[in-house]
Amino acid sequence: AVMFFIGVCFIVNTHEAWLDEAQAWLISERLSIIDIFKQMKYEGHPCLWHLILSIFSKNGYPYEAIGYISAAISSIMVFFLVKKSPFSMATMFVIIVSPVILYQYSVVCRVYCIAVLGLVLIASLYKDRRQKPILYGLALAFLTNTHIVMAGIVGALCVIFYGYEFLLHFKEYTKKEKQKIFISMGIVLASIGVLIIQLYSSLDLSGTVRKVPFFAGIPIYDQIKLLNTSDAFLRSITGDLWQRVTMYILAIVFIIMSIKKHPKETFIAV
């Protein structure tokens, strides 16, 4: 894990700042904790990443610190992966030096680094979930508030553990075990509630225009909510038919044009 951290820090020094990375840092720096929660309906995912960044940004650390924060979180993930996973050293080496882990989830300073950490923590605790239900619940709560995509994974794991393994075999558990699992269940439900509160208003499909601050030094502008990540996803499912047809036609045309120019590369990408 130490060698991984050193290697990632070396790459971080040459990584250019991307707009979405800078926006997350500026949100954490310029907004109060309450306002960060309110801003999340425009970000499309929970605020845990921004709260972690705020510990540093609000205490005077420069923007460059975001790369080292991401590297440190990814290094913790690698530590648990090496310590707890059943993989051979060769397999772990291939996983750790893969472009996804070494670069995409480490050097690129996005919320994905804490999402992967949450997944590894859950995997580390999974076989002991009955003996350590509170720790397992905390890991599920952590993953719930990393990225909206993780909500589906958390939901499936909750159904398996709290639904199938616990409620359907309720009599097999001791009183002490039941108390711990109920506490664990309460922790997860509370985290889901926090998630819903943050993103609830983003479920508005009215397409209204709102004043939203843009945190890259550009003055406040009118942002159409259609461009919001969560709204765009919901509209792709429930929105206007012609909007979806147009999107699919453009995607098909783009793929056909790409195949004609670069057939091998396009096939690999698809």
Side-chain angles (χ1 to χ4, degrees):
V2 174
M3 294 300 297
F4 178 85
F5 178 73
I6 294 172
V8 171
C9 286
F10 177 78
I11 304 174
V12 163
N13 289 328
T14 62
H15 176 64
E16 69 282 4
W18 291 6
L19 180 62
D20 58 330
E21 299 171 336
Q23 175 161 315
W25 179 266
L26 291 171
I27 287 174
S28 70
E29 179 185 43
R30 299 183 182 183
L31 297 183
S32 66
I33 300 300
I34 299 299
D35 287 335
I36 289 176
F37 272 84
K38 293 179 179 179
Q39 178 66 21
M40 290 305 101
K41 61 187 177 183
Y42 302 111
E43 299 301 307
H45 58 76
C47 67
L48 182 58
W49 174 236
H50 297 82
L51 294 179
I52 293 173
L53 294 181
S54 68
I55 298 173
F56 301 89
S57 63
K58 292 186 183 302
N59 284 287
Y61 284 82
Y63 168 73
E64 290 74 15
I66 190 174
Y68 302 103
I69 297 169
S70 179
I73 293 172
S74 296
S75 298
I76 295 172
M77 179 273 297
V78 168
F79 171 80
F80 280 102
L81 184 66
V82 173
K83 188 84 171 176
K84 298 290 185 178
S85 72
F87 305 126
S88 65
M89 290 300 295
T91 303
M92 283 191 293
F93 177 78
V94 171
I95 294 173
I96 292 170
V97 301
S98 66
V100 174
I101 298 298
L102 187 60
Y103 178 77
Q104 192 64 40
Y105 294 160
S106 303
V107 177
V108 179
C109 311
R110 291 174 176 164
V111 67
Y112 307 121
C113 64
I114 58 173
V116 176
L117 173 59
L119 289 170
V120 172
L121 288 175
I122 289 174
S124 302
L125 291 164
Y126 191 76
K127 65 178 181 179
D128 299 321
R129 60 193 180 281
R130 180 165 177 171
Q131 291 75 28
K132 302 176 181 178
I134 296 178
L135 284 177
Y136 186 66
L138 288 171
L140 288 172
F142 178 85
L143 184 61
T144 301
N145 283 278
T146 57
H147 196 287
I148 189 63
V149 174
M150 296 295 109
I153 297 176
V154 172
L157 292 172
C158 286
V159 170
I160 292 171
F161 181 52
Y162 300 116
Y164 176 74
E165 296 181 1
F166 179 55
L167 295 180
L168 291 183
H169 301 83
F170 189 76
K171 295 180 179 180
E172 299 177 8
Y173 289 79
T174 65
K175 183 178 179 180
K176 189 174 182 180
E177 286 179 331
K178 292 175 182 177
Q179 290 175 345
K180 289 183 178 180
I181 292 177
F182 278 125
I183 293 173
S184 173
M185 193 183 301
I187 292 171
V188 176
L189 289 175
S191 71
I192 294 173
V194 172
L195 174 66
I196 293 173
I197 290 172
Q198 292 176 74
L199 304 181
Y200 174 74
S201 57
S202 69
L203 299 178
D204 176 21
L205 301 179
S206 62
T208 56
V209 177
R210 298 187 183 185
K211 295 284 187 178
V212 184
F214 186 63
F215 295 97
I218 300 174
I220 293 176
Y221 72 106
D222 290 333
Q223 174 177 329
I224 301 176
K225 287 196 66 188
L226 177 59
L227 298 179
N228 178 261
T229 304
S230 56
D231 287 343
F233 172 73
L234 289 167
R235 282 181 174 273
S236 69
I237 301 173
T238 63
D240 183 76
L241 175 62
W242 290 110
Q243 177 188 1
R244 285 179 283 168
V245 170
T246 302
M247 179 182 66
Y248 295 142
I249 291 174
L250 289 175
I252 292 170
V253 171
F254 175 77
I255 292 173
I256 292 174
M257 292 175 64
S258 300
I259 290 174
K260 288 183 177 180
K261 290 185 178 181
H262 308 284
K264 292 183 179 179
E265 291 84 350
T266 304
F267 177 78
I268 294 172
V270 173

mmCIF file of all heavy atoms in Angstrom, residues 73 77 112-125 139-140 142-144 146 150 157:
data_model
loop_
_atom_site.group_PDB
_atom_site.id
_atom_site.type_symbol
_atom_site.label_atom_id
_atom_site.label_comp_id
_atom_site.label_asym_id
_atom_site.label_seq_id
_atom_site.Cartn_x
_atom_site.Cartn_y
_atom_site.Cartn_z
ATOM 1 N N ILE A 73 -6.828 7.660 -0.154
ATOM 2 C CA ILE A 73 -8.022 6.821 -0.059
ATOM 3 C C ILE A 73 -7.837 5.539 -0.860
ATOM 4 O O ILE A 73 -8.180 4.444 -0.402
ATOM 5 C CB ILE A 73 -9.257 7.599 -0.543
ATOM 6 C CG1 ILE A 73 -9.569 8.744 0.426
ATOM 7 C CG2 ILE A 73 -10.468 6.678 -0.680
ATOM 8 C CD1 ILE A 73 -10.642 9.693 -0.054
ATOM 9 N N MET A 77 -7.686 1.492 0.281
ATOM 10 C CA MET A 77 -8.400 0.426 -0.425
ATOM 11 C C MET A 77 -7.452 -0.717 -0.778
ATOM 12 O O MET A 77 -7.782 -1.894 -0.582
ATOM 13 C CB MET A 77 -9.059 0.989 -1.683
ATOM 14 C CG MET A 77 -9.812 -0.030 -2.522
ATOM 15 S SD MET A 77 -8.760 -0.879 -3.734
ATOM 16 C CE MET A 77 -8.248 0.487 -4.782
ATOM 17 N N TYR A 112 -15.223 8.224 -7.298
ATOM 18 C CA TYR A 112 -15.087 6.781 -7.469
ATOM 19 C C TYR A 112 -14.097 6.160 -6.489
ATOM 20 O O TYR A 112 -14.215 4.981 -6.153
ATOM 21 C CB TYR A 112 -14.657 6.457 -8.899
ATOM 22 C CG TYR A 112 -15.537 7.079 -9.945
ATOM 23 C CD1 TYR A 112 -15.015 7.948 -10.897
ATOM 24 C CD2 TYR A 112 -16.914 6.825 -9.980
ATOM 25 C CE1 TYR A 112 -15.830 8.534 -11.856
ATOM 26 C CE2 TYR A 112 -17.731 7.413 -10.925
ATOM 27 C CZ TYR A 112 -17.179 8.268 -11.871
ATOM 28 O OH TYR A 112 -17.997 8.847 -12.800
ATOM 29 N N CYS A 113 -13.118 6.924 -6.035
ATOM 30 C CA CYS A 113 -12.124 6.361 -5.120
ATOM 31 C C CYS A 113 -12.773 5.897 -3.815
ATOM 32 O O CYS A 113 -12.415 4.834 -3.285
ATOM 33 C CB CYS A 113 -11.002 7.358 -4.847
ATOM 34 S SG CYS A 113 -11.505 8.878 -4.007
ATOM 35 N N ILE A 114 -13.732 6.658 -3.287
ATOM 36 C CA ILE A 114 -14.382 6.221 -2.049
ATOM 37 C C ILE A 114 -15.415 5.125 -2.319
ATOM 38 O O ILE A 114 -15.695 4.304 -1.449
ATOM 39 C CB ILE A 114 -15.034 7.403 -1.290
ATOM 40 C CG1 ILE A 114 -16.066 8.135 -2.165
ATOM 41 C CG2 ILE A 114 -13.980 8.365 -0.783
ATOM 42 C CD1 ILE A 114 -16.850 9.193 -1.414
ATOM 43 N N ALA A 115 -15.975 5.108 -3.544
ATOM 44 C CA ALA A 115 -16.918 4.043 -3.896
ATOM 45 C C ALA A 115 -16.213 2.694 -3.935
ATOM 46 O O ALA A 115 -16.713 1.695 -3.411
ATOM 47 C CB ALA A 115 -17.576 4.336 -5.238
ATOM 48 N N VAL A 116 -15.033 2.660 -4.544
ATOM 49 C CA VAL A 116 -14.260 1.412 -4.606
ATOM 50 C C VAL A 116 -13.807 0.997 -3.207
ATOM 51 O O VAL A 116 -13.821 -0.190 -2.862
ATOM 52 C CB VAL A 116 -13.051 1.569 -5.550
ATOM 53 C CG1 VAL A 116 -12.191 0.309 -5.543
ATOM 54 C CG2 VAL A 116 -13.519 1.864 -6.967
ATOM 55 N N LEU A 117 -13.421 1.969 -2.385
ATOM 56 C CA LEU A 117 -13.056 1.663 -1.004
ATOM 57 C C LEU A 117 -14.235 1.030 -0.279
ATOM 58 O O LEU A 117 -14.067 0.043 0.460
ATOM 59 C CB LEU A 117 -12.616 2.941 -0.278
ATOM 60 C CG LEU A 117 -12.357 2.811 1.230
ATOM 61 C CD1 LEU A 117 -11.262 1.787 1.507
ATOM 62 C CD2 LEU A 117 -12.013 4.168 1.839
ATOM 63 N N GLY A 118 -15.435 1.572 -0.468
ATOM 64 C CA GLY A 118 -16.624 1.002 0.156
ATOM 65 C C GLY A 118 -16.883 -0.425 -0.280
ATOM 66 O O GLY A 118 -17.231 -1.292 0.537
ATOM 67 N N LEU A 119 -16.701 -0.701 -1.556
ATOM 68 C CA LEU A 119 -16.896 -2.059 -2.073
ATOM 69 C C LEU A 119 -15.900 -3.035 -1.448
ATOM 70 O O LEU A 119 -16.255 -4.155 -1.072
ATOM 71 C CB LEU A 119 -16.746 -2.068 -3.595
ATOM 72 C CG LEU A 119 -17.874 -1.402 -4.388
ATOM 73 C CD1 LEU A 119 -17.484 -1.274 -5.851
ATOM 74 C CD2 LEU A 119 -19.169 -2.199 -4.254
ATOM 75 N N VAL A 120 -14.642 -2.614 -1.326
ATOM 76 C CA VAL A 120 -13.617 -3.482 -0.739
ATOM 77 C C VAL A 120 -13.880 -3.709 0.746
ATOM 78 O O VAL A 120 -13.696 -4.820 1.261
ATOM 79 C CB VAL A 120 -12.213 -2.881 -0.966
ATOM 80 C CG1 VAL A 120 -11.155 -3.666 -0.196
ATOM 81 C CG2 VAL A 120 -11.869 -2.875 -2.453
ATOM 82 N N LEU A 121 -14.339 -2.673 1.453
ATOM 83 C CA LEU A 121 -14.666 -2.827 2.877
ATOM 84 C C LEU A 121 -15.802 -3.832 3.069
ATOM 85 O O LEU A 121 -15.742 -4.685 3.970
ATOM 86 C CB LEU A 121 -15.062 -1.471 3.471
ATOM 87 C CG LEU A 121 -13.945 -0.450 3.666
ATOM 88 C CD1 LEU A 121 -14.514 0.877 4.148
ATOM 89 C CD2 LEU A 121 -12.896 -0.963 4.654
ATOM 90 N N ILE A 122 -16.818 -3.745 2.216
ATOM 91 C CA ILE A 122 -17.929 -4.693 2.308
ATOM 92 C C ILE A 122 -17.458 -6.107 2.004
ATOM 93 O O ILE A 122 -17.836 -7.071 2.689
ATOM 94 C CB ILE A 122 -19.060 -4.274 1.357
ATOM 95 C CG1 ILE A 122 -19.748 -3.019 1.897
ATOM 96 C CG2 ILE A 122 -20.087 -5.393 1.184
ATOM 97 C CD1 ILE A 122 -20.779 -2.430 0.966
ATOM 98 N N ALA A 123 -16.624 -6.252 0.981
ATOM 99 C CA ALA A 123 -16.090 -7.569 0.643
ATOM 100 C C ALA A 123 -15.255 -8.132 1.782
ATOM 101 O O ALA A 123 -15.279 -9.336 2.059
ATOM 102 C CB ALA A 123 -15.261 -7.480 -0.638
ATOM 103 N N SER A 124 -14.533 -7.260 2.488
ATOM 104 C CA SER A 124 -13.696 -7.686 3.610
ATOM 105 C C SER A 124 -14.527 -8.185 4.783
ATOM 106 O O SER A 124 -14.111 -9.091 5.512
ATOM 107 C CB SER A 124 -12.802 -6.528 4.068
ATOM 108 O OG SER A 124 -11.979 -6.062 3.017
ATOM 109 N N LEU A 125 -15.711 -7.581 4.961
ATOM 110 C CA LEU A 125 -16.568 -7.924 6.099
ATOM 111 C C LEU A 125 -17.638 -8.951 5.759
ATOM 112 O O LEU A 125 -18.326 -9.440 6.663
ATOM 113 C CB LEU A 125 -17.250 -6.652 6.622
ATOM 114 C CG LEU A 125 -16.349 -5.621 7.297
ATOM 115 C CD1 LEU A 125 -17.073 -4.281 7.408
ATOM 116 C CD2 LEU A 125 -15.910 -6.105 8.667
ATOM 117 N N ALA A 139 -20.383 -0.208 6.828
ATOM 118 C CA ALA A 139 -19.790 -0.291 5.491
ATOM 119 C C ALA A 139 -20.846 -0.075 4.411
ATOM 120 O O ALA A 139 -20.612 0.626 3.417
ATOM 121 C CB ALA A 139 -19.104 -1.637 5.302
ATOM 122 N N LEU A 140 -22.040 -0.654 4.609
ATOM 123 C CA LEU A 140 -23.137 -0.448 3.666
ATOM 124 C C LEU A 140 -23.578 1.022 3.644
ATOM 125 O O LEU A 140 -23.851 1.588 2.580
ATOM 126 C CB LEU A 140 -24.325 -1.342 4.026
ATOM 127 C CG LEU A 140 -24.183 -2.835 3.768
ATOM 128 C CD1 LEU A 140 -25.369 -3.592 4.352
ATOM 129 C CD2 LEU A 140 -24.064 -3.124 2.277
ATOM 130 N N PHE A 142 -21.722 3.588 4.397
ATOM 131 C CA PHE A 142 -20.644 4.330 3.737
ATOM 132 C C PHE A 142 -20.800 4.244 2.225
ATOM 133 O O PHE A 142 -20.759 5.254 1.516
ATOM 134 C CB PHE A 142 -19.298 3.758 4.173
ATOM 135 C CG PHE A 142 -18.109 4.412 3.516
ATOM 136 C CD1 PHE A 142 -17.559 5.581 4.030
ATOM 137 C CD2 PHE A 142 -17.531 3.855 2.381
ATOM 138 C CE1 PHE A 142 -16.470 6.184 3.421
ATOM 139 C CE2 PHE A 142 -16.442 4.448 1.765
ATOM 140 C CZ PHE A 142 -15.910 5.617 2.287
ATOM 141 N N LEU A 143 -20.997 3.018 1.706
ATOM 142 C CA LEU A 143 -21.124 2.831 0.260
ATOM 143 C C LEU A 143 -22.363 3.534 -0.284
ATOM 144 O O LEU A 143 -22.336 4.080 -1.396
ATOM 145 C CB LEU A 143 -21.189 1.338 -0.067
ATOM 146 C CG LEU A 143 -21.220 0.974 -1.549
ATOM 147 C CD1 LEU A 143 -19.958 1.452 -2.254
ATOM 148 C CD2 LEU A 143 -21.390 -0.525 -1.735
ATOM 149 N N THR A 144 -23.445 3.545 0.494
ATOM 150 C CA THR A 144 -24.693 4.196 0.060
ATOM 151 C C THR A 144 -24.473 5.651 -0.299
ATOM 152 O O THR A 144 -25.054 6.167 -1.254
ATOM 153 C CB THR A 144 -25.757 4.110 1.168
ATOM 154 O OG1 THR A 144 -26.007 2.735 1.471
ATOM 155 C CG2 THR A 144 -27.051 4.783 0.750
ATOM 156 N N THR A 146 -21.654 7.163 -1.285
ATOM 157 C CA THR A 146 -20.498 7.455 -2.137
ATOM 158 C C THR A 146 -20.932 7.898 -3.522
ATOM 159 O O THR A 146 -20.518 8.933 -4.020
ATOM 160 C CB THR A 146 -19.572 6.227 -2.257
ATOM 161 O OG1 THR A 146 -20.315 5.110 -2.778
ATOM 162 C CG2 THR A 146 -18.983 5.853 -0.906
ATOM 163 N N MET A 150 -24.107 3.171 -6.615
ATOM 164 C CA MET A 150 -23.906 2.157 -5.582
ATOM 165 C C MET A 150 -25.200 1.809 -4.846
ATOM 166 O O MET A 150 -25.258 0.806 -4.136
ATOM 167 C CB MET A 150 -22.868 2.641 -4.558
ATOM 168 C CG MET A 150 -21.473 2.854 -5.127
ATOM 169 S SD MET A 150 -20.715 1.328 -5.713
ATOM 170 C CE MET A 150 -20.755 1.604 -7.487
ATOM 171 N N LEU A 157 -27.582 -6.131 -1.528
ATOM 172 C CA LEU A 157 -26.934 -6.701 -0.348
ATOM 173 C C LEU A 157 -27.854 -6.649 0.870
ATOM 174 O O LEU A 157 -27.839 -7.565 1.711
ATOM 175 C CB LEU A 157 -25.628 -5.953 -0.065
ATOM 176 C CG LEU A 157 -24.505 -6.153 -1.095
ATOM 177 C CD1 LEU A 157 -23.350 -5.206 -0.806
ATOM 178 C CD2 LEU A 157 -24.011 -7.600 -1.071
#
